[in-house]
Amino acid sequence: MSSPHDPAAARPAGDADEHLVREAEKIAVALGRMFPGLCEVVLHDLRTPRHAVRVIENNLSGRQVGDSVTELGLARIADPEFPSVLQNYPNRFPDGRPAKSTSIGIRNAAGEYIAALCLNLDVSVLSPVTLALSNLVATDTGHRDEPLETLRDRDARELRRAVEAHAAERAATPRSLSREDKKALVRRLRHDGYFASRDAAHTIADLLGVSRATVYNYAK
């Protein structure tokens, strides 16, 4: 409960509501300037529904300051229980461009809707970008499971770890692996790009206790 000396208690309700709307104006302008040309931001003053548009940034709908409220605004005025936030619902600009919208109702201290902040994202701009990015990152389905090359160098330490891990899976040391296991290991190392290193064959030969010629033969 407010004290008799609380300035807010003495301030008329209309002044407090106007203060809230002016604070919301700052948010609307800041959001609009963060997404220029992409997201329309509109602040509706629900206290004056026939002239509700208070701020409009990135005007994509052709509306002007002083235009009337939308259907959602009328619904909020009529029903105090109307949802405070409607998130990411499909919408459309007057020229037919698709939009994704979010509407945020702003209540005063009495719980009455006095304003609504609406964001309308022009998804027609993003759809071609999404398609282009999808095409850009797509790979040939014929090679999806088997990379044709590695794009980084494999050093000797990493090579040694790979050989020892393979041997450990078979409860053995690299040198005690069977001929078939050594052959399978060498082919896996080649597939994983370890042979791109200049000294890879020499390192593998030392680890497995075989000659470099044998390593190359296993790699075929």
Side-chain angles (χ1 to χ4, degrees):
M1 185 173 181
S2 300
S3 70
H5 303 291
D6 186 350
R11 185 187 305 150
D15 290 352
D17 291 354
E18 179 63 18
H19 176 75
L20 277 176
V21 174
R22 287 185 179 180
E23 290 300 299
E25 284 184 357
K26 299 175 187 177
I27 297 171
V29 171
L31 285 173
R33 292 178 182 177
M34 188 172 181
F35 304 103
L38 185 62
C39 184
E40 178 184 78
V41 182
V42 186
L43 178 65
H44 297 274
D45 187 339
L46 301 184
R47 300 171 301 172
T48 54
R50 294 182 61 183
H51 306 284
V53 177
R54 180 91 170 226
V55 171
I56 184 164
E57 288 285 320
N58 298 329
N59 193 334
L60 302 176
S61 62
R63 290 174 290 175
Q64 302 295 328
V65 170
D67 281 357
S68 61
V69 74
T70 64
E71 295 85 349
L72 282 183
L74 291 174
R76 280 200 172 98
I77 294 169
D79 181 10
E81 300 303 316
F82 194 87
S84 295
V85 178
L86 292 179
Q87 189 92 43
N88 297 332
Y89 58 90
N91 211 335
R92 193 166 293 278
F93 292 111
D95 61 5
R97 284 174 296 164
K100 182 172 78 170
S101 297
T102 291
S103 177
I104 306 165
I106 300 171
R107 300 176 187 265
N108 62 12
E112 303 165 333
Y113 282 118
I114 59 169
L117 182 64
C118 301
L119 294 83
N120 303 307
L121 183 69
D122 185 356
V123 296
S124 70
V125 176
L126 298 177
S127 296
V129 175
T130 302
L131 178 60
L133 289 175
S134 177
N135 291 334
L136 185 64
V137 302
T139 56
D140 187 342
T141 56
H143 303 296
R144 187 166 290 169
D145 298 324
E146 182 178 348
L148 301 182
E149 63 177 343
T150 180
L151 298 180
R152 66 187 183 91
D153 189 25
R154 305 282 191 166
D155 61 26
R157 180 181 301 175
E158 191 176 356
L159 177 55
R160 181 181 296 276
R161 282 199 299 264
V163 171
E164 291 175 346
H166 182 90
E169 291 172 2
R170 289 154 181 77
T173 64
R175 287 177 175 253
S176 67
L177 288 169
S178 69
R179 181 176 182 276
E180 290 305 312
D181 281 340
K182 289 179 179 178
K183 182 183 293 187
L185 171 58
V186 170
R187 288 180 177 175
R188 183 197 289 185
L189 294 172
R190 183 197 63 182
H191 173 270
D192 290 344
Y194 286 95
F195 276 73
S197 175
R198 183 180 59 183
D199 299 323
H202 178 76
T203 302
I204 295 169
D206 284 347
L207 290 169
L208 298 182
V210 298
S211 67
R212 280 196 296 173
T214 299
V215 169
Y216 286 121
N217 185 49
Y218 286 168
K220 292 178 181 179

